[in-house]
Amino acid sequence: MKQTKAQLRQLGVQTLKNLAPSEKAEKERRIHQKLFSNSAFQNAQTIGITLANEIEVATEPVIHYAKQQHKKIVIPKTLPKRQMAFYELTAETVLERSSFGVLEPTNSPLFLPEQIDLLIVPGLIFTKSGYRIGFGGGYYDRYLQQYPNQTASLVFTEQLNDEWSPESFDQKIQQLFID
């Protein structure tokens, strides 16, 4: 019997929490190298990415490296009606913890979807073909409906699960960087 998205979310969180710190760090290093050597990343001038929580693939090294490469980084802020928008992350950006426990920008310039060259989308569970189950709420699926450029996700092999069927509103991610 297929599991519900809620059950798969719980499984995804537990799987990520069970990764040994040393193994997680080594997998992250390899995932980051795959991303950095990819043309979508290399050609992107503006990259949308989250500030990852402790169980996700770390995004701080991606942000640091991208800034060294003189790329703009934009991070999401949740809005009413399950919408979200991306704002530039600079040294002056003030971050505030949202009701979801995520740090969000409060004082930065807004970037429209078409101004973001590469969007790195978080998730808990992924199919090999690129569909994902996120943390719930559908924020990314709504955003991706009007996002015209490249998408990617950073994925541990432990997050791969093809034992579920995407729903009509689920948006496919173009590239998965997996280890």
Side-chain angles (χ1 to χ4, degrees):
M1 191 168 122
K2 289 195 186 253
Q3 293 177 299
T4 66
K5 279 190 173 181
Q7 290 169 320
L8 286 164
R9 264 187 206 99
Q10 284 182 319
L11 176 68
V13 168
Q14 199 52 55
T15 298
L16 290 173
K17 284 181 176 177
N18 290 340
L19 273 178
S22 59
E23 182 187 7
K24 182 178 185 283
E26 186 55 34
K27 286 173 154 291
E28 287 171 334
R29 188 188 63 71
R30 290 191 297 260
I31 291 168
H32 294 149
Q33 287 308 317
K34 288 176 185 179
L35 173 67
F36 299 157
S37 64
N38 183 270
S39 61
F41 179 86
Q42 291 172 352
N43 296 332
Q45 292 304 301
T46 302
I47 297 172
I49 194 167
T50 59
L51 301 175
N53 65 40
E54 65 278 356
I55 65 170
E56 297 175 278
V57 174
T59 55
E60 189 59 42
V62 176
I63 293 167
H64 182 73
Y65 182 75
K67 286 186 173 192
Q68 285 180 332
Q69 304 297 309
H70 307 289
K71 298 178 187 296
K72 288 184 179 161
I73 295 293
V74 294
I75 58 174
K77 177 179 179 68
T78 55
L79 304 171
K81 298 183 180 167
R82 296 184 184 237
Q83 299 296 310
M84 90 181 163
F86 282 80
Y87 296 85
E88 188 170 7
L89 179 65
T90 67
E92 292 77 42
T93 302
V94 175
L95 298 172
E96 199 172 81
R97 205 160 290 282
S98 74
S99 58
F100 297 106
V102 177
L103 290 173
E104 295 185 337
T106 62
N107 66 330
S108 299
L110 170 69
F111 276 65
L112 299 174
E114 59 273 13
Q115 295 176 296
I116 303 169
D117 302 310
L118 174 63
L119 188 60
I120 299 175
V121 182
L124 286 167
I125 300 286
F126 294 85
T127 64
K128 289 182 189 84
S129 64
Y131 287 99
R132 57 179 272 289
I133 296 175
F135 288 86
Y139 287 88
Y140 271 92
D141 287 320
R142 282 182 189 81
Y143 192 85
L144 289 169
Q145 287 174 354
Q146 31 112 25
Y147 174 74
N149 297 319
Q150 295 284 309
T151 58
S153 289
L154 311 178
V155 183
F156 295 119
T157 52
E158 291 82 355
Q159 293 175 273
L160 294 175
N161 182 329
D162 282 321
E163 299 297 312
W164 61 281
S165 300
E167 297 176 71
S168 60
F169 51 81
D170 288 329
Q171 300 293 309
K172 187 174 180 177
I173 305 304
Q174 294 164 336
Q175 283 190 287
L176 301 181
F177 295 96
I178 304 168
D179 189 285

